[in-house]
Amino acid sequence: MCGRFALTLPNDAMAQLFKAAPANDLPPIANYNICPTTQIHVIYRDADQGNSQRRLVPMRWGFVPHWYKTPSDGPLLISARAETLAEKPAFREACRTRRCLIPADGFYEWFRPESGEKLPWYIQPAGEGPMVFAGVWQEWEQNGTRLASCAMVTTQSTGRMAEIHHRIPVILQPQDWGKWLGEKGHGAARLMQPAADDTLTFHRVDKAVNSNRATGPELIKEIDA
């Protein structure tokens, strides 16, 4: 379902690619081991007072529903299932009005053989350009404290990905970014499909990435499977 990912695209390049106004407090780049509860790069459409400007901002990876008394008041919601997105109380309003894009170079997933420990794989686009996950976001506020948070939307894996893990993030193609953000009318639900095998590449990486303290480009280096 993607519990870690990597991003190396510079902030100014992201702002240009997504035609988004960048915030001043974006997380450092590059990061080869982005973990839940940290601040990540998110693109959303600012519809406040009719403004349709895209914005590139930091958000906590771990969706915080409005009824949580603290950000850790309940389960850590780093992902939202596409199949139930419109029904779950935590996500149903966000899926209608607060959808976002989450850029990445690629993501890690762990496969467990019938016997033995979990083995990490790195999944990235087969072509050029970043990988862009579908997301939903929420602004939480309690006692004067405000926090913007998000979750990735996931769906059932197919093909090669299904051999590694049964869930995969919904990956959006450039022509679909505007529709997911609500800029091009209805139809976002039809985008929540698994990526085809020929759009992704897969390779084994070292178990060093198992540690959330691990850093550096060696984490995505291919090793013999």
Side-chain angles (χ1 to χ4, degrees):
M1 69 175 183
C2 179
R4 309 270 185 84
F5 67 98
L7 179 64
T8 63
L9 191 64
N11 290 331
D12 56 350
M14 267 188 279
Q16 183 176 4
L17 176 65
F18 294 103
K19 298 180 174 60
N24 294 324
D25 55 346
L26 292 167
I29 292 293
N31 191 337
Y32 293 89
N33 194 8
I34 299 173
C35 303
T37 73
T38 61
Q39 295 286 303
I40 66 172
H41 294 74
V42 171
I43 298 94
Y44 79 101
R45 183 172 65 95
D46 186 354
D48 186 38
Q49 298 181 352
N51 182 5
S52 59
Q53 170 72 56
R54 290 182 184 179
R55 300 197 180 277
L56 172 63
V57 300
M59 290 191 186
R60 176 188 190 262
W61 182 18
F63 191 96
V64 183
H66 66 83
W67 60 82
Y68 279 21
K69 293 181 174 60
T70 69
S72 58
D73 195 36
L76 179 59
L77 304 176
I78 66 171
S79 63
R81 287 177 169 260
E83 299 88 342
T84 58
L85 186 64
E87 304 167 8
K88 292 292 185 180
F91 302 120
R92 61 190 176 198
E93 179 62 26
C95 83
R96 290 193 295 270
T97 62
R98 294 189 302 277
R99 297 190 297 270
C100 62
L101 309 176
I102 301 173
D105 287 14
F107 68 95
Y108 302 94
E109 195 51 82
W110 280 260
F111 167 73
R112 185 189 292 276
E114 290 185 5
S115 60
E117 61 182 326
K118 289 183 178 181
L119 303 174
W121 287 73
Y122 186 65
I123 300 94
Q124 62 187 11
E128 296 182 357
M131 178 177 280
V132 177
F133 305 132
V136 290
W137 68 278
Q138 166 83 22
E139 190 168 77
W140 173 88
E141 183 173 5
Q142 287 284 346
N143 301 320
T145 300
R146 302 177 70 178
L147 176 67
S149 64
C150 65
M152 294 178 186
V153 180
T154 67
T155 189
Q156 189 75 26
S157 299
T158 59
R160 178 83 184 281
M161 185 67 209
E163 298 175 10
I164 299 173
H165 196 274
H166 66 286
R167 304 294 296 179
I168 185 173
V170 171
I171 300 169
L172 300 172
Q173 298 305 311
Q175 65 270 20
D176 296 324
W177 295 348
K179 185 173 286 294
W180 184 255
L181 290 176
E183 299 168 347
K184 299 184 177 180
H186 301 291
R190 292 193 291 272
L191 303 178
M192 294 189 288
Q193 303 295 326
D197 270 4
D198 61 1
T199 65
L200 303 173
T201 64
F202 309 77
H203 64 259
R204 270 285 318 282
V205 294
D206 192 87
K207 289 182 288 186
V209 76
N210 292 356
S211 169
N212 59 12
R213 297 180 181 177
T215 60
E218 65 277 6
L219 295 179
I220 66 171
K221 183 179 179 180
E222 182 174 4
I223 65 170
D224 292 336

